Amino acid sequence: ENDMPFVRPELIARENRIHDIENMRNPMVSFIKVPFADLIKHPNHSIRIGNIVPNSMHVSPDNNIYVITGPNNGGKTSYVTSIGLMYILAQSGYHIPAEAAKMSIVDNIYTHFVSPDDITKREGRWKNELRRIKPVLERATPHSLCLIDDLGSGTNYEEAKDPILNILYGFHRLNATTFMDTHIHEIANVVEQGEFSRTSNLQVEIIETEKEFKYTYKVIPGKAGKSYAKEVAADLGLSKEGIDALLEQR
């Protein structure tokens, strides 16, 4: 109905630990990004496909851990979420929004996404992050899928680096298929130096010129140089000049 390609995935034994999906699309992106004006124009078609950028994933027993860096709002979390959705759909017996898929069964999907602060637990965000990551390390197996989003957001990057590297070491020892996105770019530097075998860097591509930068939402090999925090703030009018203009207008 929405012209989105779907395919019946080929599910194979979990012992193979092969996970190949070509051009998967996050179905939640099209649901969220439908302009309200389009809903008014087409009331009988309330869900219409948007411009979803497809991405692929390729995992083998020899290369099963990925660290993803890139710009703010560039699609890192959407990519990690897409992977989880593909496995939930596939192992529930559904077709998946992709062009081809060969997927080993996973015994569990473990996730760690940013959680809102909860003062009733009497702990800061960083401690909350660590408390929630520990059960994953306690339970994951080589046949699990682990999706770790923005670990280290609760503290500064200098102090977060070593604990995150220890956690990455844990996933490497467990030999679990793991996708971890982070703004701690030093993690990608360590991966690039070959500290962890079976671990590779991915980055969200961005096209930068002298005047602007443009998101492509494509996930490609390699590590990102920065998160473009300054540029994103300026784009929203929160540079010093933009704030001056805002306050003068008020």
Side-chain angles (χ1 to χ4, degrees), residues 96-150:
I96 65 172
E99 295 180 5
K102 185 175 184 179
M103 307 159 67
S104 289
I105 296 290
V106 297
D107 56 13
N108 274 301
I109 302 173
Y110 296 103
T111 66
H112 182 287
F113 287 84
V114 175
S115 176
D117 290 342
D118 184 354
I119 61 172
T120 65
K121 289 187 170 62
R122 299 184 180 184
E123 60 187 20
R125 181 177 298 179
W126 174 235
K127 186 174 181 180
N128 177 268
E129 289 184 53
L130 296 177
R131 181 176 57 79
R132 291 187 296 113
I133 202 75
K134 187 176 180 181
V136 180
L137 292 171
E138 290 173 339
R139 300 170 187 173
T141 77
H143 307 298
S144 301
L145 175 63
C146 302
L147 307 174
I148 313 301
D149 177 64
D150 207 14

Side-chain angles (χ1 to χ4, degrees), residues 168-196:
L168 187 61
Y169 165 79
F171 284 113
H172 186 262
R173 277 203 60 185
L174 286 170
N175 205 3
T177 295
T178 304
F179 287 82
M180 174 190 292
D181 71 75
T182 180
H183 287 291
I184 314 296
H185 295 281
E186 286 77 2
I187 304 300
N189 293 337
V190 173
V191 170
E192 191 176 56
Q193 294 163 7
E195 181 74 18
F196 305 105

Side-chain angles (χ1 to χ4, degrees), residues 178-236:
T178 304
F179 287 82
M180 174 190 292
D181 71 75
T182 180
H183 287 291
I184 314 296
H185 295 281
E186 286 77 2
I187 304 300
N189 293 337
V190 173
V191 170
E192 191 176 56
Q193 294 163 7
E195 181 74 18
F196 305 105
S197 63
R198 307 191 314 276
T199 304
S200 301
N201 282 318
L202 294 173
Q203 62 176 315
V204 178
E205 182 185 50
I206 193 166
I207 298 174
E208 185 176 11
T209 66
E210 292 182 359
K211 296 183 178 180
E212 62 179 2
F213 65 99
K214 180 182 179 182
Y215 298 116
T216 69
Y217 303 107
K218 291 296 294 183
V219 177
I220 61 175
K223 64 183 179 73
K226 59 180 182 178
S227 296
Y228 292 86
K230 179 180 177 181
E231 289 82 356
V232 171
D235 190 49
L236 291 172

Side-chain angles (χ1 to χ4, degrees), residues 37-110:
D38 285 352
L39 299 184
I40 301 298
K41 293 175 186 176
H42 305 278
N44 295 326
H45 300 281
S46 59
I47 298 174
R48 302 175 67 241
I49 189 167
N51 183 25
I52 306 176
V53 176
N55 278 296
S56 301
M57 63 170 288
H58 302 288
V59 174
S60 71
D62 298 324
N63 195 7
N64 65 338
I65 300 176
Y66 289 93
V67 172
I68 310 162
T69 52
N72 291 285
N73 204 43
K76 299 187 299 296
T77 298
S78 289
Y79 177 71
V80 172
T81 305
S82 298
I83 294 170
L85 288 170
M86 296 306 106
Y87 280 84
I88 290 171
L89 289 169
Q91 293 195 193
S92 299
Y94 292 101
H95 288 62
I96 65 172
E99 295 180 5
K102 185 175 184 179
M103 307 159 67
S104 289
I105 296 290
V106 297
D107 56 13
N108 274 301
I109 302 173
Y110 296 103

